[in-house]
Amino acid sequence: MIAFALRLAVSGGREALARLAVITAAVAVGVGLLLSTLASINAVDKANDRLLWTNSGTASRTETAPVDPLWWWAHGDYHDGKEIFRVDVAATGPTSPVPPGLYRLPAPGEYYASPALTERLRATPAGELGDRFPGRPVGVLGDAALPSPDSLFLVVGRTPAEIEHMPHAGKITTIATALPPSCDEGCPGKGVRGDAMTLILSVVAAALIFPVVVFIGTATRLSAATREQRYAAMRLVGATPRQVSVISTVESTVASAVGAVLGSGLFLLLRPLVATVPFTGDRFFLEDLTLTPLQLAATALGVPLAAAVAARLALRRVTISPLGVTRRVTPKPPTFGRAVPLLVGLAELGYFVNRRPQTTDGQTAAYLTGFLMIMIGLVVAGPWLTMVAARAVALRTRRPATLIAVRRLADDPKAGFRSVAGLVLALFVSTATVCVIGTINEYRGSLAGDPETRAAVEIGTAFDGPPMTDSVPEQVLAGLRAVPGFKGLAVVHHNPDGIARDPRERPGVFPSLVRCSELAQVPVTGHCPAGAEVAAVPSWGFLDLNSNAAVEWPAAPISAAAVAGLPVRNVYVTTDGSTAAMERTRTLLTRAYPGHLAATVRDWGTAQQRTWVGWQQLANVVLLTTLPIAGCSLAVSVVAGLSDRRRPFAMLRLTGAPLGLLRRVIGLESALPLLVVAAIATGTGFAASAMFLKSQMHYELVAPGVVFFLLVALGLVASLGIIASTLPLLKRITGPEAARNG
């Protein structure tokens, strides 16, 4: 039976071979995208594993070994918006543990840098970066210690005396191979949250695979009418339902199996491209994009099986009743029940507004299932929505082409909607993605700070910490003022007596004291009252992302000379905003106070912004992948519809119907469900994203800009163009010979 089915599948000549080729191509694309997504999830896990060693100095670790202790001081730095992980080490004996990526510990005055940092050091003037690191480079940190080829990591050799008094420094006897029990004091190697990234990539995978599944189903129905007639004839001459089922599924199963193999090859071709997409803020190592045997087996077996089921469902009418095909019985109209899954999905997201689940697993169950239910609901409800729209148009039109088109849509809305299902899904995914990421970027855009604050470099302690130093040496101040691009400088002093304390602040929180002569040099932080010598400025005034230039801080009842003798909490320097000026300033401050981080506003936003950039890349991947696939699905579906109805159209032409009338019928049959359901899909995308943002992040939806709506309109126009491009086929396939019976 299987051999007979294979011969039958290719007996239709070029048309049958074209159908097999389209099914194979659709499956290959779907498998390639699916494997790429799975490999990306695996790569995130591997990158996180290679970060674990950076947690070796975390206080909550209890692992020990009978070796010489290693002094360990892990801390961070930044350069031009890129984070640098640095660990200073000092061996106490020959058996001190060695971090991964090294064959020996660096001696005092030596350091190992990652390849990306080595290249950056080579390309950057020493005063902007290299002068921060004591000693000389003696080698390159190996990939085993790096989560990404873009990672900027540094291992510096020091003496125990140079490290032991640094904040959070301590002795270790083992290198961490797992996350510490607690990260209350910070874990530098927490990495990307694998569960969160799995959630994101799972949604992306669903967004990518859904249009492919629709494409496969559309391709399966090419020449469906001809095959239904053939299978119905088999039933009428004695073939059993099981035999017809085998015949109808063999074609798609074989094509899908070949497509799965080709999709695996496509994945290998896509790997280098996927590795360059910064899903987590940085690129992946190519060798991290691998698949587990279980994932490969599930794909190899699951895809052909799914295709067989899709083919079985697509041609199920034949196996149920051959007379239902030969008599061309009008299918039952869809009911309102088809809208239930869509409403359930929206209701699920709506329920969790102000009821956000506390755990990641709970959030995954809430949001992922909600979005998946909506996507399923749009496909299921599409025929019913198409029927309702067609009946509404039929009541208000008298034109022949419109009447024929809407009557056909009302009689068989499933066939009418099938051609645009892929585009509708792509439009929903695109709308929801753009709305979510656009809103997040709008709310988090303040991380970039105002232009004035982005030009400043600050070093010091938090408002509730001890002073940074007793005083700032004059040579340090002179060096800062000598930096090309220097604008101003303010030394922020400790206020142990709580002078000019705001009574609304909690106990123990005192303002800092700044001389007005220096505050005038950095107007972005505010200004003094007229005639005052000293201002009482909250510590956050020198850490704010936004300009406080219009703020007048209260005067403090203390002389400028007395303030000059108080300990120093912060040093705040403004520049012209150039990278050279800011990084030279950072280098001078880092060398003067190595136990503290010289930071800029751009640094504080770097981690989040890198995450949003990665998500924006995902959004671009979704848009650039789903829309072409949906366009192909539309073209194939329209051609399939023309092929299946060649005889009815040929009869209409013989009875005098002009070719232009038939073309308008085809165009309206495709355009009406496209425009109606597209509008609903777009609105659903807005609603779903608004509820997700409100529940997960407590954000109000920020509508996308004009560019988004122009792109949507352009996409719809392109879709209508695809429909129009298939209409010339109508003349060729509806000649007099097509009107013959059989």
Side-chain angles (χ1 to χ4, degrees), residues 199-255:
L199 169 60
I200 295 167
L201 290 176
S202 297
V203 173
V204 170
L208 293 173
I209 298 303
F210 256 67
V212 175
V213 171
V214 172
F215 187 19
I216 294 172
T218 301
T220 302
R221 289 199 59 84
L222 274 171
S223 301
T226 302
R227 285 182 291 155
E228 283 181 344
Q229 290 282 1
R230 181 187 300 165
Y231 297 152
M234 292 180 184
R235 288 291 314 279
L236 290 173
V237 297
T240 66
R242 182 174 181 178
Q243 289 173 327
V244 172
S245 296
V246 170
I247 293 172
S248 64
T249 56
V250 161
E251 173 187 63
S252 296
T253 303
V254 172

Side-chain angles (χ1 to χ4, degrees), residues 18 27 35 38 47 99 112 140 147 214 222 239 244 253 259 261 309 354 401 414 436 461 480 576 590 620 708 737:
V27 173
L35 294 181
L38 293 174
Y112 291 89
V140 176
V214 172
L222 274 171
V244 172
T253 303
V261 174
V309 173
N354 299 323
K414 292 181 183 179
V436 169
T461 58
L480 293 170
D576 60 4
T590 299
N620 293 339
F708 168 75
E737 67 279 0

Side-chain angles (χ1 to χ4, degrees), residues 311-657:
R312 173 69 180 83
L313 293 176
L315 298 172
R316 65 187 181 277
R317 186 169 54 157
V318 177
T319 60
I320 295 173
S321 172
L323 294 179
V325 175
T326 57
R327 295 174 181 172
R328 294 295 179 187
V329 178
T330 300
K332 293 182 179 179
T335 63
F336 175 76
R338 282 182 164 265
V340 171
L342 176 61
L343 298 177
V344 168
L346 290 171
E348 180 177 352
L349 291 181
Y351 173 80
F352 288 104
V353 174
N354 299 323
R355 295 186 181 90
R356 173 188 171 184
Q358 297 301 312
T359 65
T360 300
D361 289 341
Q363 294 167 19
T364 301
Y367 305 130
L368 181 59
T369 56
F371 275 98
L372 290 177
M373 183 62 73
I374 290 173
M375 286 192 283
I376 294 172
L378 284 171
V379 175
V380 173
W384 178 75
L385 296 171
T386 300
M387 181 191 70
V388 171
R391 289 178 176 177
V393 172
L395 295 175
R396 293 170 174 79
T397 186
R398 294 294 182 267
R399 295 185 177 184
T402 306
L403 281 172
I404 295 173
V406 296
R407 284 299 300 272
R408 170 170 165 76
L409 286 174
D411 286 344
D412 192 4
K414 292 181 183 179
F417 174 75
R418 189 181 299 121
S419 63
V420 301
L423 279 170
V424 167
L425 278 177
L427 192 55
F428 167 75
V429 170
S430 303
T431 302
T433 302
V434 169
C435 286
V436 169
I437 293 179
T439 299
I440 291 173
N441 284 338
E442 183 71 22
Y443 274 84
R444 300 293 179 95
S446 60
L447 288 170
D450 288 338
E452 297 86 353
T453 62
R454 289 202 298 268
V457 184
E458 179 270 340
I459 192 170
T461 58
F463 67 89
D464 55 352
M468 178 177 67
T469 185
D470 290 335
S471 63
V472 181
E474 186 57 39
Q475 61 266 31
V476 174
L477 298 176
L480 293 170
R481 294 189 179 102
V483 172
F486 170 85
K487 288 292 188 68
L489 178 151
V491 178
V492 184
H493 292 272
H494 188 47
N495 183 8
D497 298 327
I499 299 172
R501 177 182 178 273
D502 188 341
R504 294 171 296 181
E505 287 283 4
R506 59 186 176 88
V509 177
F510 302 149
S512 299
L513 301 176
V514 188
R515 288 183 290 182
C516 290
S517 60
E518 295 181 349
L519 194 62
Q521 298 180 38
V522 288
V524 66
T525 61
H527 59 273
C528 293
E533 289 188 34
V534 179
V537 183
S539 294
W540 56 261
F542 295 95
L543 304 171
D544 204 346
L545 298 172
N546 301 311
S547 173
N548 292 308
V551 178
E552 181 178 283
W553 302 113
I558 185 174
S559 67
V563 166
L566 293 174
V568 174
R569 179 174 291 281
N570 303 84
V571 176
Y572 191 87
V573 184
T574 57
T575 70
D576 60 4
S578 66
T579 298
M582 296 184 69
E583 296 305 331
R584 286 183 181 274
T585 299
R586 193 202 301 266
T587 297
L588 291 171
L589 292 172
T590 299
R591 294 188 65 181
Y593 305 103
H596 299 272
L597 175 66
T600 69
V601 165
R602 185 180 179 187
D603 301 338
W604 300 329
T606 292
Q608 288 288 359
Q609 287 171 338
R610 285 168 56 205
T611 301
W612 305 140
V613 168
W615 289 12
Q616 186 64 60
Q617 291 281 358
L618 289 178
N620 293 339
V621 169
V622 171
L623 292 174
L624 295 176
T625 304
T626 57
L627 291 178
I629 292 173
C632 293
S633 178
L634 175 62
V636 170
S637 182
V638 173
V639 171
L642 287 173
S643 177
D644 287 347
R645 288 179 291 154
R646 66 176 68 186
R647 187 169 182 274
F649 283 140
M651 296 296 291
L652 286 173
R653 286 192 65 188
L654 287 176
T655 58

Side-chain angles (χ1 to χ4, degrees), residues 119-143:
E119 180 61 31
R120 186 170 291 225
L121 286 167
R122 188 179 298 117
T124 305
E128 297 177 24
L129 181 60
D131 287 348
R132 303 177 203 175
F133 311 134
R136 61 186 179 84
V138 293
V140 176
L141 192 60
D143 292 350

